[in-house]
Amino acid sequence: MAKRSFGRSVAVTACWIWALYPYFVYIPGGFVWDTCLSALLVATLFLCALKLREKPGSLWSWLGFGLLGGFTVLTNASALTVCSVLAAWAIFPLWRISRTPQMWPTSVLLRDHWRWLSPALLVAAGLIITLLPWQFRNYRAFHALVPLRDNFWLEFWDGNDGDTTSWVDIDSHPTINPDEGALFAKLGEIPYMREKRRKALDFLALHPGLYLVQCVRRFLYVWTGYWNLDPSNLLDEFHGFANVYLTSSLTLAMLLGLWRSLRNSGSLLREASPASREAVLPYLLVLLIYPLIFYITHPTIRHRHVIDPEIVVLAALGLRSLFPASSSSKSPGVPPTATPS
């Protein structure tokens, strides 16, 4: 992924960061959830999007992208936004060609329109094929329409119930709090989630200002690891000063990589001026879109790990720009996007 976007030297640097960064050693052994698998699937989806953007390939490739995206979403529902954005980014050059005025016969123009529409439909078909059985299962189990998962309002309430001492009030979760667990068992899953929705919306109506402040704090927490200086948080290994240092350092290196690429002022990228900004765009889209759901609910370090591969690539780009190689070993950058014939 890094090699295709920015060259071998950035790829090697990214590998070393991934091998030595403490959290990337701890997280695989510290969580039993989908964390590492989701990161792998999103990175694979990202690489496929890079390849399809550069060379659209056969229609089967687009169907495969949709199937992979569906499996990724089944593994981690929050990855749906990433899948959609990457698919749109990969298809965009085909759409742009179809919108360019051409003095061609109508049959040729129709063929060009179909050239972008067929990949879009195949990606959508792959997603539907993969996700539809789970939707049938949900309807059969709950006798209600439940898109993917039904716990959004529970997670929203856990992060926005008025307790600001931590980034999430874990004690209000039914798997932790016996009273909440008993209420969950008494009401049933769907009525329980509806009750959480009611309480969350009531809180929003009464405290809109506090909610906006919390969203800003969650944004800062995702990218710095800092929440507050409360001793109960600092005792947690993920929320001490070491966490703030590690998370902030990686974020700063990532921002440097973004800045160097967008400004195109680093000597590492000087030979790839048309392509460097194009290469960084999918990374920027993922970084902007994926965390949105956690800004409005509640974030954790393991949630960010899903996009850590993309963060590490940009961090490696930033570090390489500080120590550029000699002109003979510079990475050539990314070739301009291939125009399909």
Side-chain angles (χ1 to χ4, degrees):
M1 188 167 70
K3 184 178 180 181
R4 181 174 289 270
S5 296
F6 303 110
R8 184 177 183 276
S9 62
V10 173
V12 171
T13 304
C15 288
W16 278 110
I17 294 175
W18 194 269
L20 299 177
Y21 191 73
Y23 281 167
F24 302 158
V25 177
Y26 175 82
I27 286 177
F31 292 102
V32 72
W33 310 112
D34 61 276
T35 308
C36 294
L37 177 59
S38 296
L40 174 63
L41 290 173
V42 169
T44 304
L45 202 64
F46 193 99
L47 179 60
C48 291
L50 292 179
K51 292 182 177 181
L52 288 172
R53 170 90 174 201
E54 183 178 333
K55 187 177 181 181
S58 68
L59 295 179
W60 288 107
S61 301
W62 295 100
L63 180 62
F65 184 88
L67 293 172
L68 176 62
F71 181 71
T72 303
V73 172
L74 286 177
T75 305
N76 187 327
S78 58
L80 178 60
T81 54
V82 175
C83 178
S84 304
V85 166
L86 289 177
W89 176 79
I91 293 171
F92 179 74
L94 301 176
W95 177 84
R96 184 170 52 189
I97 290 173
S98 72
R99 303 294 294 180
T100 303
Q102 301 284 353
M103 298 300 294
W104 290 346
T106 303
S107 60
V108 176
L109 293 176
L110 289 175
R111 185 187 64 190
D112 283 339
H113 276 286
W114 183 249
R115 185 175 291 162
W116 75 265
L117 186 59
S118 53
L121 291 175
L122 286 169
V123 170
L127 283 169
I128 292 172
I129 290 170
T130 313
L131 299 179
L132 198 57
W134 184 251
Q135 304 311 112
F136 285 140
R137 175 265 172 197
N138 283 346
Y139 189 82
R140 185 175 181 180
F142 300 118
H143 306 290
L145 182 62
V146 179
L148 296 178
R149 299 176 66 178
D150 64 356
N151 66 329
F152 171 80
W153 289 108
L154 171 61
E155 303 302 329
F156 188 97
W157 172 248
D158 287 347
N160 298 283
D161 63 354
D163 185 352
T164 62
T165 57
S166 184
W167 69 102
V168 58
D169 183 10
I170 195 65
D171 291 331
S172 67
H173 200 278
T175 60
I176 303 296
N177 188 315
D179 294 335
E180 288 293 324
L183 181 62
F184 181 95
K186 177 182 177 181
L187 295 178
E189 185 165 341
I190 298 300
Y192 181 84
M193 298 303 171
R194 288 173 180 163
E195 174 63 14
K196 292 302 176 183
R197 177 180 181 273
R198 183 191 64 78
K199 294 177 70 173
L201 292 178
D202 287 346
F203 180 84
L204 277 180
L206 292 174
H207 307 284
L210 176 60
Y211 175 70
L212 291 176
V213 170
Q214 289 295 93
C215 288
V216 173
R217 293 184 68 188
R218 284 189 283 262
F219 172 85
L220 294 174
Y221 175 77
V222 166
W223 299 109
T224 66
Y226 174 79
W227 185 259
N228 59 25
L229 299 178
D230 188 279
S232 62
N233 285 334
L234 296 179
L235 288 175
D236 191 323
E237 61 185 315
F238 271 99
H239 307 98
F241 292 111
N243 172 68
V244 176
Y245 170 75
L246 290 171
T247 306
S248 299
S249 298
L250 191 61
T251 297
L252 287 174
M254 176 200 75
L255 291 175
L256 178 61
L258 276 173
W259 181 78
R260 289 288 193 178
S261 186
L262 294 175
R263 289 289 301 271
N264 201 24
S265 59
S267 59
L268 180 69
L269 300 172
R270 205 167 283 157
E271 294 183 0
S273 56
S276 58
R277 297 180 187 180
E278 175 74 15
V280 82
L281 181 58
Y283 295 87
L284 183 59
L285 290 174
V286 169
L287 297 180
L288 290 175
I289 298 299
Y290 173 78
L292 290 177
I293 187 68
F294 304 108
Y295 299 155
I296 65 175
T297 55
H298 66 81
T300 66
I301 295 299
R302 77 173 185 90
H303 290 146
R304 197 186 94 155
H305 187 65
V306 174
I307 57 171
D308 272 337
E310 291 74 27
I311 293 173
V312 166
V313 170
L314 292 177
L317 178 64
L319 294 178
R320 288 297 302 165
S321 69
L322 293 177
F323 307 100
S326 62
S327 58
S328 61
S329 60
K330 284 180 183 177
S331 301
V334 181
T337 303
T339 301
S341 58

